[in-house]
């Protein structure tokens, strides 16, 4: 049986009084929805697949079909998944907060499907497809046999609207995330290994600006030693318990 999670009254008070609560999420929050994380040693995506062959501009230039098919497979997995109690708890927290910013590295759209509204997507969204030349999003495309579909306006190959290694993050999303990190009173860091920059720099930016940093992760990360509060458990257990505590 899982031990009940207990929260210090100071943390509950800080959440109740906060003008801005921010959350930074990573693949771990979607693990309980059946979406694989990246760095888990057994079943993480990067333990089973080589990111250099699938998630870089060079990989796409070398073998666009392999990259397209891999993202199409992941897109199907995401479409079949459902938000879990961790996603719903963050959506409910947004409803209770004066201002709330949900910064996510995830491309699965599960926060939005759980009802979160102010979602800042740092790494794009796997459901969207864009032109590899112009960067414009494309709603409809034709598939000819086994070929990677092409942009209806310019004929270049289409690609997923996600950030690959060696690519810059969308500037507006990064600016909003950095602003929220600087202004927030509490930052919840949930289900991220805190290894991929620039997202991994947000907790220290928040902390330097005076925010309380709370980590929720069953495993330790480079952030764990400096977090103000550390909850070593699954997001789908800790976050609903936190909401329960805020309700009373
Ligand atoms: P990682 O796979 O690096 O880390 C997932 C984290 O979630 C780990 O620290 C786990 O311990 C934790 N975790 C696992 N199950 C959990 C649960 N039920 N509740 C809470 N935490 C749990 O994923 P990210 O940190 O998101 O980038 O990875 C960052 C980026 O690296 C991704 O956005 C992706 C990847 O390469 C791109 O594709 C650009």
């Amino acid at each position: 049986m899982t031990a009940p999670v207990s929260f210090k009254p100071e943390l509950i008070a800080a959440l109740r009084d906060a003008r801005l609560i921010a959350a930074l999420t990573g693949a771990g929050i979607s693990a309980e929805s059946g979406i694989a994380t990246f760095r888990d040693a057994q079943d993480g995506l990067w333990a089973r697949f080589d990111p250099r062959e699938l998630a870089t501009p060079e990989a796409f230039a070398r073998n666009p079909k392999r990259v397209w098919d891999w993202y199409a497979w992941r897109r199907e997995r995401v479409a079949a998944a459902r938000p879990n109690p961790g996603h719903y708890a963050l959506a409910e927290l947004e409803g209770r907060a004066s201002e709330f910013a949900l910064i996510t590295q995830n491309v699965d759209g599960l926060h939005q499907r759980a009802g979160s509204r102010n979602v800042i997507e740092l790494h794009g969204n796997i459901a969207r497809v864009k032109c590899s030349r112009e960067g414009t999003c494309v709603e409809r495309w034709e598939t000819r046999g086994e070929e990677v579909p092409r942009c209806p306006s310019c004929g270049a190959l289409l690609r997923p609207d996600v950030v690959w290694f060696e690519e810059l993050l969308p500037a507006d999303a990064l600016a909003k995330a950095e602003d929220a990190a600087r202004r927030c009173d509490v930052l919840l860091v949930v289900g991220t290994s805190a290894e991929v920059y620039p997202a991994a720099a947000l907790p220290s930016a928040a902390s330097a600006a005076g925010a309380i940093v709370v980590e929720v992760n069953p495993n330790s990360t480079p952030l764990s030693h400096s977090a103000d509060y550390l909850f070593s458990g699954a997001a789908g257990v800790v976050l609903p318990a936190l909401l329960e505590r805020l309700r009373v």
Side-chain angles (χ1 to χ4, degrees):
M1 208 170 88
T2 324
V5 192
S6 69
F7 301 97
K8 291 232 169 79
E10 301 90 293
L11 174 59
I12 298 304
L15 284 164
R16 287 205 174 111
D17 295 346
R19 281 155 305 169
L20 169 59
I21 301 174
L24 169 66
T25 65
I29 195 164
S30 295
E32 291 156 89
S33 294
I35 310 278
T37 63
F38 293 94
R39 289 176 185 77
D40 281 328
Q42 301 299 319
D43 56 0
L45 287 174
W46 297 154
R48 292 183 286 146
F49 303 98
D50 183 350
R52 288 164 306 183
E53 299 295 328
L54 295 163
T56 66
E58 290 74 21
F60 187 65
R62 260 195 321 269
N63 194 339
K65 175 81 176 128
R66 176 164 51 188
V67 174
W68 177 269
D69 286 350
W70 190 67
Y71 280 93
W73 166 73
R74 284 181 57 204
R75 193 177 297 125
E76 277 172 26
R77 302 284 312 244
V78 161
R82 300 275 171 271
N84 68 58
H87 296 110
Y88 287 114
L90 288 180
E92 186 181 333
L93 190 57
E94 180 171 15
R96 293 175 158 266
S98 313
E99 190 185 350
F100 192 90
L102 205 164
I103 308 159
T104 189
Q105 299 164 88
N106 298 346
V107 297
D108 57 31
L110 289 176
H111 285 303
Q112 292 91 329
R113 283 169 58 194
S116 286
R117 290 185 304 272
N118 188 21
V119 181
I120 303 167
E121 292 181 322
L122 287 179
H123 293 166
N125 190 309
I126 202 166
R128 287 192 305 262
V129 163
K130 68 180 182 183
C131 171
S132 61
R133 186 183 297 151
E134 301 159 331
T136 42
C137 284
V138 170
E139 297 289 336
R140 277 186 240 302
W141 61 86
E142 281 179 22
T143 327
R144 279 203 211 130
E146 291 292 293
E147 283 175 35
V148 173
R150 290 182 175 273
C151 173
S153 77
C154 79
L157 293 175
L158 293 178
R159 56 162 281 182
D161 186 12
V162 298
V163 175
W164 284 330
F165 290 102
E166 296 157 29
E167 290 187 320
L168 294 176
L169 272 61
D172 56 337
L174 183 58
K176 281 185 191 162
E178 287 172 339
D179 174 64
R182 271 192 301 268
R183 288 195 300 113
C184 69
D185 303 294
V186 181
L187 176 68
L188 306 173
V189 185
V190 185
T192 176
S193 58
E195 285 184 20
V196 176
Y197 285 81
L202 295 171
S204 52
S207 187
I212 294 170
V213 175
V214 181
E215 183 176 53
V216 180
N217 196 316
N219 300 302
S220 74
T221 75
L223 178 69
S224 304
H225 69 280
S226 58
D228 297 292
Y229 296 91
L230 182 58
F231 296 98
S232 300
V237 173
V238 175
L239 293 175
L242 179 62
L243 255 295
E244 193 59 42
R245 182 72 178 72
L246 282 169
R247 282 193 207 105
V248 293

